[in-house]
Amino acid sequence: MKISENINESGSTVDMLINMGPQHPSTHGVFRLVLQLDGELIVDAEPHIGYLHRGSEKLCETESYSQVVTLFDRLDYVANLNSELAYCMAVEKLLELQIPDRAWYIRTILCELNRISSHMLFYGVYGLDVGAMTPVLYGFRERERIQSLFEQVTGARMMHNYIRIGGVKEDTPPEFNENLHAVVLELEKAIEECDELLTQNEAFLARTKNISCLTIEDAIDFGVTGPILRSTGLVEDVRISEPYGIYDRFDFGIPIGSTGDCWDRYYIRMQEMRESLSIIKQAIKQMEPGEVQAKMRRIVRPPKGECFVRTESPRGDLGVFLVSDGSQNPYRVKVRAPSFANLQAIKHMLEGVYVADAVVILGSLDIVLGEVDR
Amino acid sequence: MEMNQDKYSDLTKGYDQDSDKRGNIPAESVFEEVLPNVIAAKSNELFALARKSSLWTLSFGLACCAIEMMSAHMSHHDIDRFGIVTWPSPRQSDVMIVAGTVVKKMADPIKRLYEQMPEPKWVIAMGACATNGGPYYRSYSVVMGVDHLIPVDVYVPGCPPRPEALMYGIMELQDKISSDAKNRANLISKKHLNNEN
Amino acid sequence: MEDQANKTTALNAASQKLLGILPSILNQPTLQYRTNIDELTVNLPGDLVHTICKILKTHTDTAFDYLTCLSVVDYEDILEINYHLFSYTKRHKMVLKCELKSTDPTISSISNIWRAANWFEREAHDLFGVLFEDHPSLDRLLLPDDFEGNPGLKSYPLHEYKEW
């Protein structure tokens, strides 16, 4: 009788290949991972991406400058406003446009709210990845609150197309401030509730503590950014180190981790939500009525040239490289997607860990495939 | 019991006739009472009732629409009310919700997943991309609608559709399932008559 | 307001300092250093890219440890490769540019200097057909294996838009 297919004639074990995805509930989209296993241990992992490659960068070249914003909405579809902001900032940098203060405050408030909603999605889905069913219900409850606020302001739940070149589409509705206050108060409570629910849970700690520790050198070398880089202990946030917009007017901290394990990555996001709330509260206090759109020509035609803009999206360092040839359409748009660079490191992270941890590690990266594949 | 026995002794009595005018049309029953305490139903209609009341969807998020599909499943919208359960394996699923852009690299896996689902099976194309390519109409790598690959029953428009729109799409699919069963029954009985003649 | 405008269009202090020391570190008299908005930009010939990148990463005064972005721009007859570099320790940034003939787009890979370059180079190979020598595995990354052509190039056609 044959004992096992995985044992060869000489008695030693043969590596087994396991295909994970592209349709897999824990891959957060369409992502394929081929794992080579020696028993329970992962020997090698080969990530395959491109199952959502929509050719956005090429399509940008055929649209006019103001139409491209809609394509950026759909790149990072969990934090849409943050991607819109990166693109608009790139065009404004070429145009050397001065954006009115109120527009910047609205942008900042909405982007920080979007950061919270993105991290809430991470919180819920990470709970599912680890095996907890309840957090996802709480996470989506808070997301729904934020999305309905977005709907009041921008008119859409997800694809806002609200941040425009030179400002925002229109001023906030009169009831916005009141509703924002209510949402902030509710979020404050909800973040504490979510924190209590999962963070110190013993099973959660056992699944995530000391799993896939990443060193600072490796993280930087792989181009890893955002919460994963900060979890290794490096203090780096584009909002503070190279402040764009009005981020230099706020007082907020950068949460960092110490070991770079999965729990640190999770907990940094929980703390970031608190920091975002504090930014929103400061912004509400400072915000004054005024113009929301800079005076500019209706047809956007930046001068010939190129620029690179870095912003801090919930996933990390979102860069836009924009080349203009002086016509109505961008000549080239390159998106430096944070998830793309973060996902590169997964091959390194998965080597030598147990196969049961693969999903936990992948979940902790919080990738959005729309951004990875573009 | 607190319940008013007289009121509920005859169930047709409590039925509010005005509700028809307000648009609350009660669902057509597949059952008919043939004898006292005996109800009969056509088998395929009965099966259709069972099928449409418990649709298991293949949890298959492709892109942006998947986030709204997840919202529909979660606490606020709670699509479970309609008997919709999301299921990770195609082998036990009835409905495939294609939520997002279908690109050429993903075309073969989608076909394969569809083939792995047991009959009877239905497909909902959720969002503009799955319907006809949507904003990526001119792209070199996008399939112009999932109906180039697999047959689609219900198209849900929107970019992305709201969870409510997805719910409406699912209710349309439920209507389709029951009306298909009824039409098929009519077809079979007609055939039967023709053969006799 | 004017103050702010000046701030965004000039090199920051760290990059200014870099501009001062860079010629002596690189020791290549033919190179031209120029400023583009807020970035120090250097045009390199293709055969120098690998050596200069190695110096920029390992030298203690430059210490470019982070490859932010690698992108390709297609100017019909030349392909321009842009390397955006950033240093976490020194807080300066710069852009390296390298122009390749589109008939023979070959350049040495820098994935053995920054591991981050691995996927960026694969993507550039996939979409633009740039050949990176000594790259560990230059397969298609985003497109299916049987895809023909390099869709990132300007010469690659898009679908015609039909009005309904």
Side-chain angles (χ1 to χ4, degrees), chain C residues 48-102:
Chain C
L48 274 181
V49 166
H50 192 271
T51 42
I52 285 186
C53 283
K54 189 123 201 162
I55 296 168
L56 286 177
K57 187 180 179 186
T58 48
H59 199 283
T60 44
D61 284 338
T62 49
F64 281 107
D65 42 12
Y66 170 39
L67 175 76
T68 317
C69 184
L70 190 159
S71 51
V72 183
V73 187
D74 175 24
Y75 293 106
E76 311 283 354
D77 47 344
I78 46 174
L79 289 174
E80 188 190 68
I81 304 190
N82 295 272
Y83 302 88
H84 290 261
L85 306 178
F86 185 79
S87 167
Y88 281 124
T89 46
K90 302 281 175 189
R91 303 243 145 248
H92 50 220
K93 55 185 176 179
M94 74 180 289
V95 186
L96 301 179
K97 280 175 181 292
C98 176
E99 289 180 354
L100 303 175
K101 283 195 196 105
S102 54

Side-chain angles (χ1 to χ4, degrees), chain A residues 44-306:
Chain A
D44 195 13
E46 190 55 50
H48 291 267
I49 60 169
Y51 291 96
L52 193 56
H53 177 62
R54 308 187 269 202
S56 304
E57 286 176 1
K58 174 100 173 171
L59 285 176
C60 288
E61 294 167 12
T62 65
E63 311 280 354
S64 72
Y65 277 95
S66 37
Q67 286 173 322
V68 169
V69 182
T70 56
L71 289 171
F72 268 78
D73 257 335
R74 286 154 182 83
L75 283 181
D76 183 351
Y77 46 77
V78 182
N80 321 70
L81 286 161
N82 286 284
S83 353
E84 282 177 25
L85 179 69
Y87 169 73
C88 290
M89 273 172 61
V91 182
E92 284 154 10
K93 196 171 175 181
L94 274 185
L95 286 168
E96 293 177 21
L97 212 59
Q98 214 59 47
I99 311 302
D101 259 13
R102 185 173 170 83
W104 261 119
Y105 278 108
I106 295 172
R107 282 176 176 194
T108 310
I109 289 173
L110 292 184
C111 283
E112 292 305 319
L113 273 177
N114 212 334
R115 190 184 308 274
I116 296 174
S117 80
S118 165
H119 285 345
M120 274 295 177
L121 183 87
F122 163 80
Y123 165 78
V125 180
Y126 198 49
L128 274 186
D129 285 345
V130 176
M133 274 304 293
T134 350
V136 71
L137 299 171
Y138 285 83
F140 264 90
R141 186 189 66 185
E142 303 317 319
R143 239 185 100 78
E144 209 65 44
R145 267 197 248 282
I146 299 172
Q147 278 185 320
S148 58
L149 186 72
F150 281 162
E151 201 178 357
Q152 288 165 18
V153 182
T154 69
R157 281 164 56 87
M158 275 178 73
M159 304 305 170
H160 312 288
N161 193 9
Y162 181 70
I163 296 179
R164 301 281 173 90
I165 298 158
V168 294
K169 184 182 141 215
E170 58 191 4
D171 208 341
T172 51
E175 68 275 13
F176 172 70
N177 271 19
E178 203 181 312
N179 292 338
L180 181 64
H181 269 292
V183 168
V184 166
L185 284 180
E186 276 163 351
L187 280 177
E188 234 168 19
K189 266 185 270 165
I191 291 169
E192 298 309 318
E193 195 181 13
C194 291
D195 202 5
E196 274 173 34
L197 193 67
L198 190 62
T199 308
Q200 297 296 342
N201 183 308
E202 210 160 303
F204 181 70
L205 285 175
R207 287 298 306 272
T208 54
K209 268 274 181 195
N210 291 324
I211 302 292
S212 103
C213 298
L214 198 65
T215 60
I216 295 185
E217 290 76 27
D218 277 339
I220 293 175
D221 202 28
F222 275 113
V224 165
T225 46
I228 308 167
L229 180 64
R230 291 194 278 278
S231 76
T232 61
L234 186 74
V235 188
E236 170 61 31
D237 190 318
V238 183
R239 289 176 294 172
I240 286 182
S241 63
E242 280 183 63
Y244 53 90
I246 50 165
Y247 276 108
D248 46 359
R249 298 183 198 173
F250 306 121
D251 176 30
F252 62 101
I254 312 175
I256 58 163
S258 51
T259 53
D261 59 3
C262 289
W263 189 82
D264 272 354
R265 291 173 205 157
Y266 157 84
Y267 194 54
I268 280 173
R269 291 189 175 100
M270 295 302 288
Q271 288 169 303
E272 264 184 19
M273 287 197 269
R274 296 197 183 104
E275 297 299 333
S276 292
L277 268 187
S278 113
I279 295 175
I280 293 168
K281 278 192 253 170
Q282 293 171 44
I284 295 171
K285 269 187 206 146
Q286 296 177 12
M287 190 159 69
E288 278 164 11
E291 286 286 309
V292 294
Q293 180 75 34
K295 283 188 181 60
M296 54 186 279
R297 288 170 63 186
R298 183 152 284 214
I299 293 170
V300 184
R301 229 186 256 261
K304 204 172 171 187
E306 57 191 55

